[in-house]
Amino acid sequence: MPHFNGLNCLNSYYPKFFTTSRVRLFQYKDEDILEAPDNAPTLEENNDWLRKLGRNSLKIDRSNLDRKGDENETYYIIEEEEEQYQGILDAAYKVLSTPKSSSSPYFKIAMQSSDFLTPSLAFGNTQNKTFQDLKFIKMRSGKGGNGAVSFLREANRSRGPPNGGDGGSGGNIYVQAVEGINSLHKLKTKYVAGDGSSGQKNQLDGKNGDDVIITVPVGTVIKWYPDINRLKQLSFTAKQAAVVAKCIGSFRGDVRPRFIQFFRKSYEVGKGWLFKDKDEEYHLTRDFFQKLAKKIKVYDQEQYNDELVNDIFPLEGIDLSKPTKEPVLLLRGGRGGMGNMHFLTPDIRNPRFAKMGRNSIEANFLFELKLLADLGLVGLPNSGKSTLLNAISNKRSKVGHWKFTTLQPIIGTIVSKSLVYKNSFTVADIPGIIEEASLDKGLGLKFLRHIERSGGLVFVISLENDPIADLKILLKELGPKRLEGKRILIVGTKADLEGSEKNFKALQNFTANELQLKCKLAPCCAMKAENVEAIVELMAEISGKNN
């Protein structure tokens, strides 16, 4: 299944990296030592695999062999105000430390905790339960099942050869963007993939855990997030805090962090044994087990390396701006543990031990929907946006003479006469923007994410009062960054009212002589459908669909 762009660059950190349709695997260039022999291995197959582990133990960085699988954390929170964390507000993050070596290839970055708690972060949308464009979701992939300790039972034979099966792998969590959905309100707040089942006797492997596939609208952006409840508690105490996260680059020598590194709360390298009849203390005193455990420690390290390579997520998130033909892997489940059938050797005829499955990954994500529209309608409350959209499309939104008629983004599909043989274009009606919206007042600025992808903007200005003052407010609240590269049309609505012609001419003079912005202007009366077709033609022009 598709994975994140740039992951293949990680092979500079690790000898070989490639993907399959379900998981990402890690191998050494010449020796296939990650995978244990297939089900029901013979004595010779086990011996050959263990010999490979022994030979390749020299290729493993010995300093990493005692690394604990759970000693690392993806992030932690600094509550005290310290000098080294100052200045984070000037950028998305502050790099505290850079990679030191191939055995420590991590960046440590700090992010202001308040950046994760903007007032517009609507975790519970109480205004309209059928539309949500933000969703905070907790996820956990599946745990790997444990290997089994079992022996063949036959008549006239007290104990046969080992036949304990392997544990099943834990379920993965995927996301898939599909057309025909325009809200995140049906998404759950928590997803947990199925755990793998334990192995059974007679070489029966455990069942793999069930995967989870989350279906989202096209235009969804997914970003990693820390524990939001903890950050909210800090915000109540008014404490200064920073989120310090461990990241990795795309390649050796990368000067920028690219991916968040996830870590599993799994057993340490060389640990994770399950014993039957005789306990761990007994086995640790036996030479046959010490020799075997030394080789399996290399296998554990391989698994841990494999997890480090694959358990990452883009620091800037992933943008599902197009439908995905196949689900995209977010979190991978833990690998199943080996049954005792893999430990049959000339020295170990009755292995009474197996391996635990690897643990799952837990992570938090913010799903943010950015509707895909060719044009965005922006204006002050009660400027006539909804009436205009009704007049030019087959979309019927609520229209009234009160402010904030539109409480959620509305998408309308437009077909003009000049586009009879071409594609139609779409227009997003954004809730009205008020003065000081940039300080998160009102509703409109919370929904401006839905016009960020649009190629053009339509400013809907009422000619009833002072259109120049209204336009200045809109330009100020949107800011130059949102206007950059956008084609702009200014529509003067309510052109049937007294004094509207004078106000429109004043608006023309202002845009031509004082406003440093290339734009087109046109008046209309949407209520009476006057000059609406000309507006549609101009919209088609700035949308780029009639070129």
Side-chain angles (χ1 to χ4, degrees):
M1 292 189 177
H3 306 297
F4 312 120
N5 293 333
L7 286 185
N8 287 326
C9 297
L10 288 175
N11 59 10
S12 59
Y13 279 117
Y14 304 97
K16 188 176 181 182
F17 177 82
F18 62 94
T19 62
T20 69
S21 61
R22 285 186 60 82
V23 295
R24 307 182 190 101
L25 298 178
F26 163 78
Q27 288 184 325
Y28 277 94
K29 288 184 178 179
D30 302 320
E31 300 289 343
D32 186 0
I33 64 172
L34 177 60
E35 299 295 339
D38 244 347
N39 199 27
T42 64
L43 175 64
E44 291 73 19
E45 289 173 333
N46 276 336
N47 268 339
D48 183 56
W49 174 60
L50 291 170
R51 279 197 298 268
K52 289 180 180 179
L53 288 177
R55 288 199 303 266
N56 283 275
S57 65
L58 298 176
K59 298 182 181 180
I60 299 290
D61 184 352
R62 305 304 298 180
S63 64
N64 291 338
L65 282 178
D66 295 322
R67 181 189 295 171
K68 296 181 180 180
D70 60 352
E71 70 177 357
N72 292 310
E73 295 284 349
T74 296
Y75 75 97
Y76 57 90
I77 297 176
I78 298 294
E79 297 183 22
E80 297 81 9
E81 190 169 351
E82 298 184 13
E83 184 177 353
Q84 63 173 327
Y85 301 114
Q86 300 307 302
I88 302 172
L89 287 175
D90 298 332
Y93 58 82
K94 181 177 182 179
V95 177
L96 304 179
S97 62
T98 56
K100 296 178 176 61
S101 65
S102 59
S103 61
S104 180
Y106 300 114
F107 292 85
K108 189 176 288 187
I109 66 170
M111 296 167 281
Q112 193 75 20
S113 62
S114 57
D115 291 346
F116 297 99
L117 287 172
T118 59
S120 60
L121 193 53
F123 293 102
N125 192 329
T126 58
Q127 295 173 352
N128 194 323
K129 293 185 178 180
T130 64
F131 178 82
Q132 276 188 287
D133 54 3
L134 287 171
K135 197 87 171 188
F136 182 74
I137 299 178
K138 295 183 178 181
M139 299 182 190
R140 180 181 73 79
S141 61
K143 300 177 182 178
N146 295 330
V149 179
S150 177
F151 297 91
L152 179 65
R153 299 298 182 183
E154 295 179 325
N156 303 319
R157 192 173 184 179
S158 61
R159 176 173 291 179
N163 66 356
D166 298 337
S169 295
N172 304 322
I173 297 183
Y174 299 92
V175 64
Q176 186 169 21
V178 298
E179 295 178 321
I181 308 176
N182 58 8
S183 174
L184 302 175
H185 74 280
K186 290 187 177 181
L187 297 186
K188 301 177 183 178
T189 56
K190 187 175 183 179
Y191 287 93
V192 179
D195 295 337
S197 301
S198 296
Q200 304 294 324
K201 62 182 180 180
N202 299 325
Q203 292 105 21
L204 294 178
D205 291 343
K207 179 184 176 182
N208 291 337
D210 293 334
D211 293 336
V212 170
I213 299 180
I214 305 172
T215 303
V216 299
V218 175
T220 300
V221 176
I222 305 174
K223 297 180 180 179
W224 170 83
Y225 251 58
D227 184 353
I228 209 69
N229 291 325
R230 188 176 172 190
L231 294 183
K232 288 171 74 173
Q233 291 174 356
L234 289 176
S235 68
F236 295 148
T237 63
K239 287 186 178 180
Q240 294 290 330
V243 177
V244 180
K246 188 168 287 188
C247 302
I248 195 169
S250 296
F251 49 85
R252 189 187 301 275
D254 200 341
V255 296
R256 289 179 55 196
R258 308 284 182 171
F259 302 95
I260 294 284
Q261 180 72 68
F262 296 145
F263 297 94
R264 298 170 186 258
K265 302 294 184 180
S266 206
Y267 57 80
E268 301 175 16
V269 170
K271 305 293 185 181
W273 290 98
L274 296 169
F275 299 98
K276 185 178 181 179
D277 298 334
K278 302 291 185 178
D279 59 15
E280 182 176 12
E281 183 178 358
Y282 166 83
H283 284 88
L284 290 177
T285 61
R286 296 299 185 266
D287 289 341
F288 68 85
F289 183 78
Q290 292 177 7
K291 292 178 181 179
L292 175 69
K294 184 177 181 180
K295 295 176 181 178
I296 298 302
K297 193 173 186 179
V298 177
Y299 175 80
D300 289 348
Q301 184 64 47
E302 286 284 305
Q303 289 197 104
Y304 183 58
N305 288 347
D306 173 56
E307 292 167 355
L308 290 180
V309 170
N310 290 280
D311 297 345
I312 58 178
F313 187 82
L315 181 58
E316 296 181 359
I318 57 174
D319 188 348
L320 303 176
S321 59
K322 298 180 180 179
T324 53
K325 295 181 180 179
E326 296 181 346
V328 177
L329 177 61
L330 291 183
L331 298 180
R332 191 177 63 155
R335 294 173 62 90
M338 290 185 293
N340 70 332
M341 62 180 174
H342 294 288
F343 306 123
L344 175 65
T345 71
D347 297 329
I348 308 175
R349 292 295 184 175
N350 299 302
R352 290 170 287 186
F353 40 80
K355 289 287 284 186
M356 297 178 183
R358 298 292 293 175
N359 213 339
S360 56
I361 309 175
E362 295 186 29
N364 304 315
F365 296 96
L366 180 70
F367 283 55
E368 179 183 9
L369 175 60
K370 297 181 179 181
L371 295 178
L372 302 177
D374 298 310
L375 297 176
L377 263 65
V378 293
L380 300 181
N382 202 27
S383 62
K385 294 187 291 84
S386 298
T387 306
L388 177 63
L389 186 61
N390 286 342
I392 64 177
S393 75
N394 57 5
K395 190 75 179 179
R396 288 294 177 262
S397 59
K398 183 187 293 184
V399 178
H401 296 288
W402 54 89
K403 292 185 177 182
F404 298 118
T405 298
T406 303
L407 298 179
Q408 69 182 55
I410 298 172
I411 295 291
T413 301
I414 317 298
V415 179
S416 72
K417 292 179 180 179
S418 65
L419 297 178
V420 173
Y421 300 107
K422 297 183 181 181
N423 294 326
S424 59
F425 62 94
T426 56
V427 178
D429 180 15
I430 306 299
I433 297 172
I434 65 173
E435 192 168 7
E436 295 188 347
S438 56
L439 301 178
D440 218 62
K441 291 187 177 182
L443 298 173
L445 204 63
K446 298 178 182 179
F447 296 104
L448 286 180
R449 65 177 65 89
H450 301 304
I451 61 173
E452 289 179 1
R453 304 179 194 272
S454 64
L457 294 177
V458 179
F459 287 91
V460 182
I461 306 292
S462 172
L463 299 177
E464 184 177 11
N465 299 311
D466 186 351
I468 296 177
D470 291 351
L471 179 59
K472 287 181 177 180
I473 292 175
L474 291 177
L475 293 175
K476 176 185 175 183
E477 300 305 329
L478 264 67
K481 187 175 181 180
R482 288 193 178 94
L483 298 175
E484 186 177 356
K486 292 284 195 297
R487 297 180 290 271
I488 294 176
L489 169 66
I490 299 177
V491 177
T493 60
K494 306 180 183 180
D496 60 323
L497 300 179
E498 185 178 352
S500 60
E501 183 177 357
K502 177 182 177 181
N503 289 338
F504 182 74
K505 289 182 178 179
L507 184 63
Q508 280 182 312
N509 292 331
F510 173 73
T511 56
N513 302 320
E514 298 184 40
L515 189 64
Q516 301 296 319
L517 197 66
K518 293 183 179 180
C519 57
K520 294 181 178 293
L521 286 86
C524 80
C525 176
M527 187 68 71
K528 298 180 180 179
E530 296 177 353
N531 208 36
V532 168
E533 192 57 41
I535 298 297
V536 173
E537 298 302 315
L538 288 172
M539 285 183 173
E541 181 180 341
I542 67 168
S543 73
K545 291 297 182 73
N546 66 346
N547 295 333

